[in-house]
Amino acid sequence: MDGIHDTGGMTGYGPVPYQKDEPYFHHEWEGRALSILTWMHIRGLSWWDKSRFYREMMGNENYVNEIRDSYYTHWLSAAERILVSDNIITEDERKKRVQEILDGSYVDRNPSRQFEEGDIDKAIEAMHKPHSLVLSGPEPSFSAGDSVTVKSMNPLGHTRCPKYVRNRTGVVHTSHGPQVYPDSNYINREDVPQPLYTVAFKSKDLWGDDGNDKDVVYVDLWEPYLVGA
Amino acid sequence: MSDHVEKYTEYEARTKAIETLLYERGIVSPAAVDRVVSYYENDLGPMGGAKVVAKAWVDPEYRDWLEKDATAAMASLGYAGEQAHQIAAVFNSAETHNVVVCTLCSCYPWPVLGLPPAWYKSMEYRSRVVADPRGTLKSDFKFPVSPDVEVKVWDSSSEIRYIVIPERPEGTEDWSEVQLAKLVSRDSMIGVSNALAPNEVMA
């Protein structure tokens, strides 16, 4: 979708709020929200493309306003809406639980199931285990050195094609082979992988006179986004 | 159990709400949630990336391997898995400076750098570094790049992750890998600074 999350090239946000050092989690809830989302991935309830889409769908105003509190608001919001959308919890019971917690009437109770330490260990081990992203799929149409132009589009669904490269011509830097295609994978895990490329764009070709003659921006783009130039 | 009434912020309450509902559905347990928090806080961090860079500085064969297959080269040191299933190392030189971003969200090579800092995920950084890397690095990171140097910006729009290999600082010819790793800051592996100079070394 072409929401506010597609930031490349936007102006008006001001200087980068750089901090030399900071903890990973400024508040305990942030770590727990990320952990919950991670478990949702481990349990197969969600996956990267689906979670990203739900984050993008939190509402443009919410996306920007809440990021100032914490980026983890995006993870939290996505987790809530995935769980409700997939009927794992209802919005009513979720709201009710939030209210009970806020007004102090919620009492901690034992979870329905304790997990074996071993099962948790296995999940952590899996997080450390690499697997190739390259899958069987269509033969790549382009090779390194080919000029490609990015198509126009205005998708309502999830895409990883940023607006700032659409209708721009670049050169294929690397052909990676077929990989999971986010634009369909976010709703359908069975869908066909698509050839992925790293494409190099000259600054001047992206930004005109506001760019320069020296610099290059590399973006990873799937074949359905591209036509031969 | 104490009678003390806990005060929760809205975010805290919303997090606890889904967490406790998931306990009831048998999807997670308190220990499971704790353990993954601990994984993020303790198992991941920029020390891994620093070791990779230091090794590349002293060992030309390793540097070569890193250039050809960073995923395998890093895995050989134990840095692998989620958010580095496919990772590319991009090398700074006298002619080239690299910087990494995720304009669309916050993609970042967790196994070698840990979780990203808030500024990396900010609208400010994400929006400007692809359009005006030199201006952004100069004004917001006090890091001017010479006009003779080419800047390469890597937008992590796929599952491929990027790590910048900064140049080895002057005056470190006889330094050990362990000593060299102390010069490799997280910021230098994102590309918003160079590695530390010997007189700036972190304690």
Coordinates of all heavy atoms in Angstrom, one line a residue, chain B residues 127-189:
Chain B
S127 N 13.6 8.9 5.6 CA 13.1 9.8 4.5 C 14.3 10.5 3.8 O 14.3 10.7 2.5 CB 12.1 10.8 4.9 OG 12.6 11.6 5.9
R128 N 15.3 10.9 4.5 CA 16.3 11.7 4.0 C 17.6 11.1 3.5 O 18.2 11.5 2.6 CB 16.7 12.8 5.0 CG 15.6 13.8 5.4 CD 14.8 14.3 4.2 NE 15.6 15.0 3.2 CZ 15.4 15.1 1.9 NH1 14.3 14.6 1.4 NH2 16.2 15.9 1.1
V129 N 18.0 9.9 4.1 CA 19.3 9.4 3.7 C 19.3 8.9 2.3 O 20.4 8.8 1.7 CB 19.8 8.4 4.8 CG1 19.1 7.0 4.6 CG2 21.3 8.2 4.8
V130 N 18.2 8.5 1.7 CA 18.2 8.0 0.3 C 18.3 9.2 -0.6 O 18.8 9.1 -1.8 CB 17.1 7.1 -0.1 CG1 17.2 5.7 0.5 CG2 15.7 7.7 0.2
A131 N 17.7 10.3 -0.2 CA 17.6 11.5 -1.1 C 18.8 12.4 -1.0 O 19.3 13.0 -1.9 CB 16.3 12.3 -0.8
D132 N 19.3 12.6 0.3 CA 20.4 13.5 0.5 C 21.4 12.9 1.6 O 21.4 13.4 2.7 CB 19.9 14.8 1.0 CG 21.0 15.9 1.2 OD1 22.1 15.6 0.7 OD2 20.7 16.9 1.9
P133 N 22.1 11.8 1.2 CA 22.9 11.2 2.2 C 24.0 12.1 2.7 O 24.3 12.1 3.9 CB 23.5 9.9 1.4 CG 23.3 10.2 0.0 CD 22.1 11.1 -0.1
R134 N 24.6 12.9 1.8 CA 25.7 13.7 2.3 C 25.3 14.8 3.3 O 25.9 15.0 4.3 CB 26.4 14.4 1.1 CG 27.2 13.5 0.2 CD 27.5 14.2 -1.1 NE 28.0 13.2 -2.0 CZ 29.2 12.8 -2.1 NH1 30.1 13.3 -1.3 NH2 29.5 11.9 -3.0
G135 N 24.1 15.4 2.9 CA 23.6 16.4 3.8 C 23.2 15.9 5.1 O 23.5 16.5 6.2
T136 N 22.5 14.7 5.1 CA 22.0 14.1 6.3 C 23.2 13.7 7.2 O 23.3 14.0 8.4 CB 21.2 12.8 6.0 OG1 20.2 13.2 5.1 CG2 20.6 12.2 7.2
L137 N 24.2 13.1 6.6 CA 25.4 12.6 7.4 C 26.1 13.8 8.0 O 26.6 13.8 9.1 CB 26.4 11.8 6.5 CG 25.8 10.4 6.1 CD1 26.8 9.7 5.1 CD2 25.6 9.5 7.3
K138 N 26.2 14.9 7.2 CA 26.9 16.1 7.7 C 26.2 16.8 8.8 O 26.7 17.1 9.9 CB 27.2 17.1 6.5 CG 28.0 18.2 6.9 CD 28.4 19.1 5.7 CE 29.3 20.3 6.2 NZ 29.3 21.3 5.2
S139 N 24.9 17.1 8.6 CA 24.2 17.9 9.5 C 23.7 17.1 10.7 O 23.7 17.6 11.9 CB 23.0 18.6 8.9 OG 22.0 17.6 8.4
D140 N 23.3 15.9 10.5 CA 22.7 15.1 11.7 C 23.7 14.2 12.3 O 23.4 13.7 13.5 CB 21.5 14.4 11.2 CG 20.4 15.3 10.7 OD1 20.4 16.5 11.0 OD2 19.5 14.9 9.9
F141 N 24.8 13.8 11.7 CA 25.7 12.9 12.3 C 27.1 13.5 12.4 O 28.1 12.8 12.7 CB 25.8 11.6 11.4 CG 24.5 10.8 11.5 CD1 23.5 11.0 10.5 CD2 24.2 9.9 12.5 CE1 22.3 10.3 10.6 CE2 23.0 9.2 12.6 CZ 22.1 9.4 11.6
K142 N 27.2 14.8 12.0 CA 28.5 15.5 12.1 C 29.6 14.7 11.3 O 30.7 14.6 11.7 CB 29.0 15.7 13.5 CG 27.9 16.3 14.4 CD 27.6 17.8 14.0 CE 26.5 18.4 14.9 NZ 25.2 18.3 14.2
F143 N 29.2 14.2 10.1 CA 30.1 13.3 9.4 C 30.1 13.7 7.9 O 29.3 13.3 7.1 CB 29.6 11.8 9.5 CG 30.4 10.8 8.8 CD1 31.7 10.6 9.1 CD2 29.9 10.1 7.7 CE1 32.5 9.7 8.4 CE2 30.7 9.1 7.0 CZ 32.0 9.0 7.4
P144 N 30.9 14.7 7.6 CA 31.0 15.2 6.2 C 31.7 14.1 5.3 O 32.7 13.5 5.8 CB 31.8 16.5 6.3 CG 32.5 16.4 7.6 CD 31.9 15.4 8.5
V145 N 31.2 14.0 4.1 CA 31.9 13.1 3.2 C 32.5 13.9 2.1 O 31.8 14.8 1.6 CB 30.8 12.1 2.6 CG1 31.5 11.2 1.5 CG2 30.2 11.2 3.7
S146 N 33.7 13.6 1.7 CA 34.4 14.4 0.7 C 33.7 14.3 -0.6 O 33.2 13.3 -1.0 CB 35.9 13.9 0.6 OG 36.4 14.3 -0.6
P147 N 33.7 15.4 -1.4 CA 33.1 15.4 -2.7 C 33.8 14.4 -3.7 O 33.2 14.0 -4.7 CB 33.3 16.8 -3.3 CG 33.8 17.6 -2.2 CD 34.2 16.7 -1.0
D148 N 35.0 13.9 -3.3 CA 35.7 13.0 -4.2 C 35.2 11.5 -4.0 O 35.5 10.6 -4.7 CB 37.2 12.9 -3.9 CG 37.9 14.3 -4.1 OD1 37.4 15.0 -5.0 OD2 38.8 14.6 -3.3
V149 N 34.5 11.4 -2.8 CA 34.1 10.0 -2.5 C 32.7 9.8 -3.0 O 31.8 10.6 -2.9 CB 34.1 9.9 -0.9 CG1 33.5 8.6 -0.5 CG2 35.5 10.0 -0.4
E150 N 32.4 8.6 -3.5 CA 31.1 8.2 -4.0 C 30.3 7.6 -2.8 O 30.8 6.8 -2.0 CB 31.2 7.1 -5.0 CG 29.9 6.5 -5.5 CD 30.1 5.2 -6.4 OE1 31.1 4.5 -6.1 OE2 29.3 5.0 -7.2
V151 N 29.1 8.1 -2.6 CA 28.2 7.5 -1.5 C 27.3 6.5 -2.1 O 26.6 6.8 -3.1 CB 27.5 8.6 -0.8 CG1 26.5 8.0 0.3 CG2 28.4 9.6 -0.1
K152 N 27.2 5.3 -1.5 CA 26.3 4.3 -1.9 C 25.3 4.0 -0.8 O 25.7 3.8 0.3 CB 27.1 3.0 -2.2 CG 28.0 3.1 -3.4 CD 28.7 1.7 -3.7 CE 29.4 1.8 -5.0 NZ 30.0 0.5 -5.4
V153 N 24.0 4.2 -1.1 CA 23.0 4.0 -0.1 C 22.3 2.7 -0.4 O 21.9 2.5 -1.5 CB 22.0 5.1 -0.1 CG1 21.0 5.0 1.1 CG2 22.7 6.5 0.0
W154 N 22.2 1.8 0.6 CA 21.6 0.5 0.4 C 20.2 0.5 1.1 O 20.2 0.6 2.4 CB 22.5 -0.6 1.0 CG 23.8 -0.6 0.3 CD1 24.9 0.2 0.6 CD2 24.2 -1.4 -0.9 NE1 25.9 0.0 -0.3 CE2 25.5 -1.0 -1.2 CE3 23.6 -2.3 -1.6 CZ2 26.3 -1.6 -2.2 CZ3 24.3 -2.9 -2.7 CH2 25.6 -2.5 -3.0
D155 N 19.1 0.4 0.4 CA 17.8 0.4 1.0 C 17.3 -1.0 1.1 O 17.1 -1.7 0.1 CB 16.8 1.2 0.1 CG 15.5 1.5 0.7 OD1 15.2 0.9 1.9 OD2 14.6 2.2 0.1
S156 N 17.2 -1.5 2.3 CA 16.9 -2.9 2.6 C 15.5 -3.2 2.4 O 14.7 -3.4 3.3 CB 17.2 -3.2 4.1 OG 18.5 -2.6 4.5
S157 N 15.1 -3.2 1.1 CA 13.6 -3.4 0.8 C 13.3 -4.9 0.7 O 12.1 -5.2 0.6 CB 13.3 -2.7 -0.5 OG 14.2 -3.0 -1.5
S158 N 14.2 -5.8 0.7 CA 13.9 -7.3 0.7 C 14.4 -7.9 2.0 O 14.6 -7.2 3.0 CB 14.6 -7.9 -0.5 OG 16.0 -8.0 -0.2
E159 N 14.5 -9.2 2.1 CA 15.0 -9.9 3.3 C 16.5 -9.9 3.3 O 17.1 -10.4 4.2 CB 14.5 -11.3 3.4 CG 13.0 -11.4 3.8 CD 12.8 -10.8 5.2 OE1 13.5 -11.0 6.1 OE2 11.8 -10.0 5.2
I160 N 17.2 -9.4 2.2 CA 18.6 -9.3 2.2 C 19.0 -8.2 3.2 O 18.4 -7.1 3.2 CB 19.2 -9.0 0.8 CG1 18.7 -10.2 -0.1 CG2 20.7 -8.8 0.8 CD1 19.0 -9.9 -1.6
R161 N 20.0 -8.4 4.0 CA 20.5 -7.4 5.0 C 21.9 -6.9 4.6 O 22.6 -7.6 3.9 CB 20.5 -8.0 6.4 CG 19.1 -8.4 6.9 CD 18.2 -7.2 7.2 NE 16.8 -7.6 7.3 CZ 15.9 -7.4 6.3 NH1 16.3 -6.9 5.1 NH2 14.7 -7.7 6.5
Y162 N 22.2 -5.7 5.1 CA 23.5 -5.1 4.7 C 24.2 -4.7 5.9 O 23.7 -4.2 6.9 CB 23.2 -3.9 3.8 CG 22.6 -4.3 2.5 CD1 21.2 -4.3 2.3 CD2 23.4 -4.8 1.4 CE1 20.6 -4.6 1.1 CE2 22.8 -5.1 0.2 CZ 21.5 -5.1 0.0 OH 20.9 -5.5 -1.2
I163 N 25.6 -4.9 5.9 CA 26.4 -4.4 6.9 C 27.6 -3.7 6.3 O 28.2 -4.2 5.3 CB 26.9 -5.6 7.9 CG1 27.8 -5.0 9.0 CG2 27.7 -6.6 7.1 CD1 28.2 -6.0 10.0
V164 N 27.9 -2.5 6.8 CA 29.0 -1.8 6.2 C 30.3 -2.2 6.9 O 30.4 -2.4 8.1 CB 28.8 -0.2 6.4 CG1 30.0 0.5 5.9 CG2 27.5 0.2 5.8
I165 N 31.4 -2.4 6.1 CA 32.7 -2.7 6.6 C 33.5 -1.4 6.5 O 33.9 -1.0 5.4 CB 33.4 -3.9 5.8 CG1 32.5 -5.1 5.7 CG2 34.7 -4.3 6.5 CD1 32.0 -5.8 6.9
P166 N 33.7 -0.8 7.7 CA 34.4 0.5 7.6 C 35.9 0.3 7.3 O 36.4 -0.8 7.5 CB 34.2 1.1 9.0 CG 33.9 -0.1 9.9 CD 33.3 -1.1 9.0
E167 N 36.6 1.4 7.0 CA 38.0 1.3 6.7 C 38.8 1.1 8.0 O 38.3 1.7 9.1 CB 38.5 2.6 6.0 CG 38.1 2.6 4.6 CD 38.7 3.8 3.9 OE1 38.2 4.9 4.0 OE2 39.8 3.7 3.3
R168 N 39.9 0.4 7.9 CA 40.7 0.2 9.1 C 41.4 1.6 9.5 O 42.0 2.2 8.6 CB 41.7 -0.8 8.9 CG 42.7 -1.1 10.0 CD 43.6 -2.3 9.7 NE 44.5 -2.6 10.8 CZ 45.2 -3.7 10.9 NH1 45.1 -4.6 10.0 NH2 46.0 -3.9 11.9
P169 N 41.3 2.0 10.7 CA 41.9 3.3 11.1 C 43.4 3.3 11.0 O 44.1 2.2 11.1 CB 41.5 3.5 12.5 CG 40.3 2.6 12.7 CD 40.5 1.5 11.8
E170 N 44.0 4.5 10.7 CA 45.5 4.6 10.7 C 46.1 4.3 12.1 O 45.4 4.6 13.1 CB 45.8 6.1 10.3 CG 45.3 6.6 9.0 CD 46.3 6.2 7.9 OE1 47.5 6.5 8.1 OE2 45.8 5.8 6.8
G171 N 47.3 3.9 12.1 CA 48.1 3.7 13.3 C 47.7 2.5 14.1 O 47.8 2.4 15.3
T172 N 47.1 1.5 13.4 CA 46.7 0.2 14.1 C 47.4 -1.0 13.5 O 46.9 -2.1 13.7 CB 45.2 0.0 13.9 OG1 44.9 -0.1 12.5 CG2 44.4 1.2 14.5
E173 N 48.6 -0.8 12.9 CA 49.3 -1.9 12.2 C 49.5 -3.1 13.0 O 49.4 -4.2 12.6 CB 50.6 -1.4 11.6 CG 50.4 -0.4 10.4 CD 49.8 1.0 10.8 OE1 50.2 1.4 11.9 OE2 49.1 1.5 10.0
D174 N 49.9 -2.9 14.3 CA 50.3 -4.0 15.1 C 49.2 -4.4 16.1 O 49.4 -5.1 17.1 CB 51.6 -3.8 15.8 CG 51.6 -2.4 16.6 OD1 50.6 -1.7 16.5 OD2 52.5 -2.2 17.3
W175 N 48.0 -3.9 15.9 CA 46.9 -4.2 16.8 C 46.4 -5.6 16.6 O 46.3 -6.1 15.5 CB 45.8 -3.2 16.7 CG 46.0 -1.9 17.2 CD1 47.2 -1.2 17.2 CD2 45.1 -1.0 17.9 NE1 47.1 0.0 17.8 CE2 45.8 0.2 18.2 CE3 43.7 -1.1 18.2 CZ2 45.1 1.2 18.9 CZ3 43.1 -0.1 18.8 CH2 43.8 1.1 19.2
S176 N 45.9 -6.2 17.7 CA 45.3 -7.6 17.7 C 43.9 -7.4 17.2 O 43.3 -6.3 17.3 CB 45.4 -8.3 19.0 OG 44.5 -7.6 19.9
E177 N 43.3 -8.6 16.8 CA 41.8 -8.6 16.5 C 41.0 -8.0 17.6 O 40.0 -7.3 17.4 CB 41.4 -10.0 16.1 CG 41.3 -10.3 14.6 CD 40.8 -11.7 14.3 OE1 39.6 -11.9 14.4 OE2 41.7 -12.5 13.9
V178 N 41.3 -8.5 18.8 CA 40.5 -8.1 20.0 C 40.6 -6.5 20.2 O 39.6 -5.9 20.4 CB 41.0 -8.8 21.2 CG1 40.3 -8.2 22.5 CG2 40.6 -10.3 21.1
Q179 N 41.8 -6.0 20.0 CA 41.9 -4.6 20.2 C 41.2 -3.8 19.1 O 40.6 -2.8 19.3 CB 43.4 -4.2 20.1 CG 44.2 -4.6 21.3 CD 45.7 -4.3 21.1 OE1 46.3 -4.8 20.2 NE2 46.3 -3.5 22.0
L180 N 41.4 -4.3 17.8 CA 40.7 -3.7 16.7 C 39.2 -3.7 16.8 O 38.6 -2.7 16.4 CB 41.1 -4.4 15.4 CG 42.6 -4.2 14.9 CD1 42.9 -5.2 13.8 CD2 42.8 -2.7 14.4
A181 N 38.6 -4.7 17.3 CA 37.2 -4.8 17.5 C 36.6 -3.6 18.3 O 35.5 -3.2 18.1 CB 36.7 -6.1 18.1
K182 N 37.4 -3.1 19.2 CA 37.0 -2.0 20.1 C 36.8 -0.7 19.3 O 36.2 0.2 19.8 CB 38.0 -1.8 21.2 CG 38.1 -3.0 22.2 CD 38.8 -2.6 23.5 CE 38.7 -3.8 24.5 NZ 40.0 -4.2 25.0
L183 N 37.4 -0.7 18.1 CA 37.3 0.5 17.3 C 36.1 0.5 16.4 O 35.7 1.5 15.8 CB 38.5 0.7 16.4 CG 39.9 0.8 17.0 CD1 41.0 0.9 16.0 CD2 39.9 2.1 17.9
V184 N 35.4 -0.7 16.3 CA 34.3 -0.8 15.3 C 33.0 -0.5 16.0 O 32.5 -1.3 16.7 CB 34.3 -2.3 14.8 CG1 33.3 -2.3 13.7 CG2 35.7 -2.7 14.2
S185 N 32.6 0.7 15.8 CA 31.3 1.1 16.5 C 30.1 0.6 15.7 O 30.2 0.4 14.4 CB 31.3 2.7 16.6 OG 31.3 3.2 15.2
R186 N 29.0 0.5 16.3 CA 27.8 0.2 15.6 C 27.5 1.2 14.5 O 27.1 0.8 13.4 CB 26.6 0.1 16.6 CG 25.3 -0.1 16.0 CD 24.1 0.5 16.7 NE 24.3 1.9 16.9 CZ 23.6 2.6 17.8 NH1 22.8 2.0 18.6 NH2 23.7 3.9 17.8
D187 N 27.7 2.5 14.8 CA 27.4 3.5 13.8 C 28.2 3.3 12.6 O 27.8 3.6 11.5 CB 27.6 4.9 14.4 CG 26.6 5.3 15.4 OD1 25.6 4.6 15.6 OD2 26.7 6.4 16.0
S188 N 29.5 2.8 12.7 CA 30.3 2.7 11.5 C 29.8 1.5 10.7 O 30.1 1.5 9.5 CB 31.8 2.5 12.0 OG 32.0 1.2 12.6
M189 N 29.1 0.6 11.3 CA 28.6 -0.6 10.5 C 27.3 -0.3 9.9 O 26.8 -1.1 9.0 CB 28.6 -1.8 11.4 CG 29.9 -2.3 11.8 SD 29.9 -3.8 12.8 CE 29.5 -3.2 14.4

